[in-house]
Amino acid sequence: MVSMLFSDCSTSATARLVPLQRRISVLTSQLRSQVSLPWRPVSLRLVHSSGLRFQSPCTVASAMSTDTAAKIIDGKSVAKQIRDEIAGEIVKLKDATGVVPGLAVVLVGSRKDSQTYVRNKKKACEAVGITSYEANLPEDSTEEEVIKQISVFNNDPSVHGILVQLPLPRHMNEENILNAVGIEKDVDGFHPLNIGRLAMQGREPLFVPCTPKGCIELLHRYDVEIKGKRAVVIGRSNIVGMPAALLLQRANATVSIVHSYTKNPEEITRQADIVITAVGVANLVRGSWIKPGAVVIDVGINPVDDAESPKGYRLVGDVCFEEVSKVASAITPVPGGVGPMTIAMLLSNTLSSAKRIHNFQ
Amino acid sequence: MVSMLFSDCSTSATARLVPLQRRISVLTSQLRSQVSLPWRPVSLRLVHSSGLRFQSPCTVASAMSTDTAAKIIDGKSVAKQIRDEIAGEIVKLKDATGVVPGLAVVLVGSRKDSQTYVRNKKKACEAVGITSYEANLPEDSTEEEVIKQISVFNNDPSVHGILVQLPLPRHMNEENILNAVGIEKDVDGFHPLNIGRLAMQGREPLFVPCTPKGCIELLHRYDVEIKGKRAVVIGRSNIVGMPAALLLQRANATVSIVHSYTKNPEEITRQADIVITAVGVANLVRGSWIKPGAVVIDVGINPVDDAESPKGYRLVGDVCFEEVSKVASAITPVPGGVGPMTIAMLLSNTLSSAKRIHNFQ
């Protein structure tokens, strides 16, 4: 059993983050980089400029502690189930058409964390029967070289999905590079054309971004009704918060987006039946923020110092799990909640792409 | 002075709408067609399925009555000022480059209301020095014929903006036709690529849809601060509600979208500092929905029977003006509020397009 650890989120989860920078998840860094104002941990020791207050230290429970009232939304188990379903569908697709779905990953540079993510994605592909392709380009590649590589994958009929591992080296324009991915192979769903279709009624995106898609899938699999419910999304990043809000809206929730300029985030969040939080700030959301019985999906993956861990840190979400799990009716743990769903949705998008390209129902 | 008229919005503004169908504005019909569930007037006599209640008859004041507490946001006057600014800029552009901005309108069929709108747009173009082009295609044209005409305008260097007058005949696929408009001439801003860029942080749409752009422009010109404010958008159509919400979000408001599945629209709306309403239901928003001091932008244009009017009807907004103007700090009248801004923004988008294409700052 994982030991109980205590962390004062007004200090420890924040001030000592910098030395861990190289180890924090790409997801978290992407989230933070896309929040318009600095929701930076360092400013959270007192009162954040946008009005985010920490009332008391958060006693962080182990995610899998049984001392909770809320149902634990087990993303790990749901993701496994989805991967099994995908593996079954891939066999059918192959038997009927001879087609094997292919996912190409473009990795620029040699960041250790990115290499780990790419390795995990390749493993996940192999496990379900998706062929993975990888292009490793040196850190000092030019934008043109990266775009040329993407173009090769765009034109390769054995590739049905293309993923550019983020973050890219600083000298590159992320927008230019992501836009080079053919819309019909944009399994990350980050192309503005996909986002536009997601926002519009009567239009269908070819792909939905993996992490928010995973959040909604968890709600579906746990029979959480979305239609007519109040939903609050905390964070408005291009890769999670914003598309999560659009997805909830499509499912007919009444959606409010809380962000760094929101003056009373606690009050607004407390009105929600469903809360999705994706800001990358450890223990931001306290028990007092949550309406009793609400369902809480925690996308944050934040490292906090932990002398007892072999790595010297452990991962927590944006939600103070111990407090919130006593108020919510259901909650995702970190790790083991949304995290495993992201890769499962990537595999799902790749399979959908292969089926669409080969017109297989 | 316009006489005061009394209308019971629980009956007259609703039940007798059908005979006026041919005369109602295209904007209203577009709005209504894009609301996912039927927010139909007929069901508003008692209690709408989504929980919208009419507490008491709305005594509809004339839009320009002086018996109000709220400041009147005079869209007609602001729109004139903007048209004057545009005319000045067009002279500068022409003097410096010889370029005259051009707007092409594609009209399919012979709907009287559409013909009126096209005529008004042409007049507005002429008044500021934009050359207007028009293609009238017969009602029974094929989709291919319309797309071919759009393609002609796409390739015509004297055309900087292309507008397809909606609604199109029923046998046509609106999405296919709108997607045929070149993204760099999409002055309506309806292309999903523009909507996607509007939704994404760090991306810039080439064009912002005219009506929501006009709403935000009114707020700017009346020095209404948006950043950090609570905003509620009522309605989530592709052409007004949804892009209005995205624009408020870009301006750092905390935005909630109220729609036909929202269970407590009144309660949520009452939390807002800024309300934009765009549902096409006469007198939906009552005084009790509004927080004292809020700013209210009413996009609705709804015909209600009026025996004293030469036309037999008059236009009112989604807001019960007499009640709301006693609670709000500022409000747009109908007519004379958002309406005139839409065409002004179309002219503005056309000018921007010409400047961008010819690289003129």
Side-chain angles (χ1 to χ4, degrees):
Chain A
M1 190 181 142
V2 182
S3 61
M4 295 281 284
L5 296 165
F6 294 86
S7 157
D8 177 347
C9 70
S10 66
T11 55
S12 75
T14 57
R16 283 170 286 165
L17 197 61
V18 177
L20 294 169
Q21 201 95 35
R22 296 214 145 258
R23 290 178 289 180
I24 66 172
S25 79
V26 164
L27 179 63
T28 303
S29 66
Q30 284 173 353
L31 282 176
R32 214 172 274 137
S33 72
Q34 297 205 26
V35 171
S36 64
L37 247 207
W39 229 341
R40 284 188 198 120
V42 72
S43 65
L44 291 171
R45 289 186 209 177
L46 301 169
V47 178
H48 187 271
S49 58
S50 60
L52 303 172
R53 281 168 192 278
F54 288 79
Q55 295 156 331
S56 63
C58 169
T59 307
V60 182
S62 141
M64 298 310 287
S65 162
T66 53
D67 180 24
T68 56
K71 181 190 283 184
I72 301 298
I73 296 178
D74 185 352
K76 205 168 165 184
S77 146
V78 172
K80 185 185 176 310
Q81 190 184 335
I82 291 172
R83 289 199 308 272
D84 290 346
E85 291 164 10
I86 290 171
E89 287 195 57
I90 287 174
V91 170
K92 278 190 212 157
L93 173 68
K94 193 177 170 188
D95 287 351
T97 66
V99 170
V100 176
L103 175 69
V105 180
V106 178
L107 173 63
V108 188
S110 51
R111 282 176 65 117
K112 286 273 181 301
D113 53 359
S114 290
Q115 286 172 339
T116 305
Y117 287 110
V118 169
R119 198 163 50 240
N120 289 344
K121 283 166 189 168
K122 286 180 73 173
K123 267 190 207 167
C125 281
E126 279 160 29
V128 296
I130 291 174
T131 307
S132 62
Y133 304 87
E134 191 181 334
N136 286 323
L137 286 90
E139 177 84 18
D140 59 356
S141 303
T142 63
E143 227 172 272
E144 292 64 36
E145 285 165 337
V146 179
I147 289 172
K148 196 174 165 194
Q149 180 58 58
I150 292 172
S151 174
V152 169
F153 287 137
N154 277 337
N155 296 319
D156 183 343
S158 61
V159 170
H160 304 98
I162 302 169
L163 185 83
V164 179
Q165 185 64 39
L166 300 177
L168 288 162
R170 285 179 184 277
H171 66 281
M172 291 185 182
N173 181 320
E174 187 181 294
E175 183 177 353
N176 291 345
I177 287 175
L178 291 182
N179 282 355
V181 176
I183 179 79
E184 75 289 353
K185 296 188 181 182
D186 173 38
V187 283
D188 255 342
F190 293 162
H191 196 290
L193 199 52
N194 268 323
I195 298 292
R197 287 180 179 165
L198 192 63
M200 296 170 85
Q201 289 183 63
R203 306 292 172 98
E204 289 300 327
L206 292 179
F207 301 100
V208 172
C210 301
T211 303
K213 185 179 178 182
C215 296
I216 303 298
E217 189 65 29
L218 282 177
L219 294 174
H220 286 324
R221 300 247 172 177
Y222 275 80
D223 290 328
V224 177
E225 192 173 26
I226 302 174
K227 188 169 77 179
K229 300 294 179 188
R230 286 291 300 275
V232 163
V233 177
I234 308 179
R236 51 173 171 168
S237 67
N238 288 345
I239 56 171
V240 187
M242 179 270 290
L246 296 177
L247 280 169
L248 288 164
Q249 163 91 0
R250 279 178 93 86
N252 295 316
T254 299
V255 183
S256 306
I257 301 176
V258 163
H259 51 75
S260 52
Y261 282 97
T262 301
K263 284 183 182 149
N264 45 357
E266 180 172 342
E267 184 190 326
I268 297 171
T269 306
R270 205 164 40 230
Q271 295 176 4
D273 305 299
I274 297 166
V275 177
I276 296 182
T277 172
V279 283
V281 176
N283 300 316
L284 175 74
V285 178
R286 312 301 295 256
S288 60
W289 289 42
I290 301 299
K291 175 173 155 180
V295 176
V296 179
I297 305 289
D298 186 354
V299 182
I301 305 174
N302 311 292
V304 294
D305 283 358
D306 179 2
E308 292 187 34
S309 160
K311 292 178 176 173
Y313 72 97
R314 70 199 154 81
L315 299 176
V316 301
D318 294 342
V319 169
C320 175
F321 185 87
E322 181 167 83
E323 287 180 11
V324 171
S325 62
K326 286 174 180 150
V327 186
S329 64
I331 184 170
T332 57
V334 175
V338 175
M341 292 297 289
T342 299
I343 288 189
M345 293 300 108
L346 176 66
L347 304 175
S348 162
N349 280 353
T350 306
L351 169 61
S352 301
S353 179
K355 285 163 108 178
R356 182 164 45 229
I357 289 171
H358 294 281
N359 204 19
F360 181 80
Q361 301 297 327
Chain B
M1 188 183 144
V2 183
S3 61
M4 294 281 284
L5 297 163
F6 294 85
S7 158
D8 178 347
C9 69
S10 66
T11 54
S12 74
T14 57
R16 283 169 287 166
L17 197 60
V18 177
L20 294 169
Q21 201 95 34
R22 296 214 144 259
R23 291 179 287 179
I24 66 172
S25 78
V26 164
L27 180 62
T28 303
S29 65
Q30 285 173 352
L31 281 175
R32 214 173 274 136
S33 72
Q34 297 207 24
V35 170
S36 63
L37 247 208
W39 227 341
R40 284 189 197 118
V42 72
S43 65
L44 291 171
R45 288 186 211 180
L46 301 169
V47 179
H48 188 271
S49 59
S50 61
L52 303 173
R53 282 166 191 277
F54 287 80
Q55 294 156 332
S56 63
C58 169
T59 307
V60 183
S62 140
M64 298 310 286
S65 163
T66 53
D67 180 22
T68 57
K71 181 189 284 183
I72 301 298
I73 297 178
D74 185 351
K76 204 169 165 184
S77 148
V78 172
K80 187 188 174 310
Q81 190 183 335
I82 291 172
R83 289 199 308 271
D84 290 347
E85 292 164 10
I86 290 171
E89 287 194 58
I90 286 173
V91 170
K92 278 190 212 158
L93 173 69
K94 192 178 170 188
D95 287 351
T97 65
V99 171
V100 176
L103 175 69
V105 181
V106 178
L107 174 63
V108 187
S110 51
R111 282 176 65 116
K112 285 273 180 301
D113 53 358
S114 290
Q115 286 172 340
T116 305
Y117 287 109
V118 169
R119 197 163 52 242
N120 290 344
K121 283 166 190 168
K122 287 180 74 173
K123 268 189 206 166
C125 281
E126 280 161 27
V128 296
I130 291 174
T131 306
S132 62
Y133 304 86
E134 192 182 334
N136 286 323
L137 286 90
E139 177 84 19
D140 59 356
S141 303
T142 63
E143 226 172 272
E144 292 64 36
E145 285 165 338
V146 179
I147 289 173
K148 196 175 165 193
Q149 179 58 57
I150 292 172
S151 174
V152 169
F153 287 138
N154 277 336
N155 296 319
D156 183 342
S158 61
V159 170
H160 305 98
I162 302 168
L163 186 83
V164 179
Q165 185 65 41
L166 300 178
L168 288 161
R170 286 179 183 276
H171 66 280
M172 291 185 183
N173 181 319
E174 187 181 294
E175 182 177 352
N176 291 345
I177 288 175
L178 291 183
N179 282 354
V181 176
I183 179 79
E184 75 290 354
K185 297 188 180 183
D186 173 37
V187 283
D188 256 341
F190 294 162
H191 196 288
L193 199 53
N194 269 324
I195 298 292
R197 287 179 180 166
L198 192 63
M200 295 171 85
Q201 289 184 63
R203 307 291 172 97
E204 290 299 327
L206 292 179
F207 301 100
V208 173
C210 301
T211 304
K213 185 179 177 181
C215 296
I216 303 298
E217 189 65 28
L218 282 177
L219 294 174
H220 287 323
R221 300 247 172 177
Y222 275 80
D223 291 327
V224 177
E225 191 172 27
I226 302 174
K227 188 169 76 180
K229 300 292 180 190
R230 287 291 299 276
V232 162
V233 177
I234 308 180
R236 51 174 170 168
S237 67
N238 289 344
I239 57 172
V240 187
M242 180 269 290
L246 296 178
L247 280 168
L248 289 164
Q249 163 92 359
R250 278 178 94 85
N252 294 316
T254 299
V255 183
S256 306
I257 303 176
V258 164
H259 51 75
S260 52
Y261 282 97
T262 301
K263 284 184 181 148
N264 45 357
E266 179 171 343
E267 183 191 327
I268 297 172
T269 307
R270 202 163 43 228
Q271 295 176 5
D273 306 299
I274 298 166
V275 177
I276 296 182
T277 172
V279 283
V281 176
N283 300 316
L284 174 75
V285 177
R286 313 300 295 256
S288 60
W289 289 42
I290 302 298
K291 175 173 155 181
V295 176
V296 179
I297 306 290
D298 187 354
V299 182
I301 305 173
N302 310 293
V304 293
D305 283 0
D306 179 2
E308 292 187 33
S309 159
K311 292 178 177 173
Y313 72 99
R314 68 199 155 81
L315 299 176
V316 300
D318 293 342
V319 169
C320 176
F321 185 87
E322 181 168 82
E323 287 181 11
V324 170
S325 63
K326 286 175 181 149
V327 186
S329 64
I331 184 170
T332 56
V334 175
V338 176
M341 293 296 289
T342 299
I343 287 189
M345 293 299 107
L346 176 65
L347 304 176
S348 163
N349 280 352
T350 306
L351 170 61
S352 301
S353 178
K355 286 163 106 178
R356 183 166 41 228
I357 289 170
H358 295 281
N359 204 19
F360 182 80
Q361 299 297 327

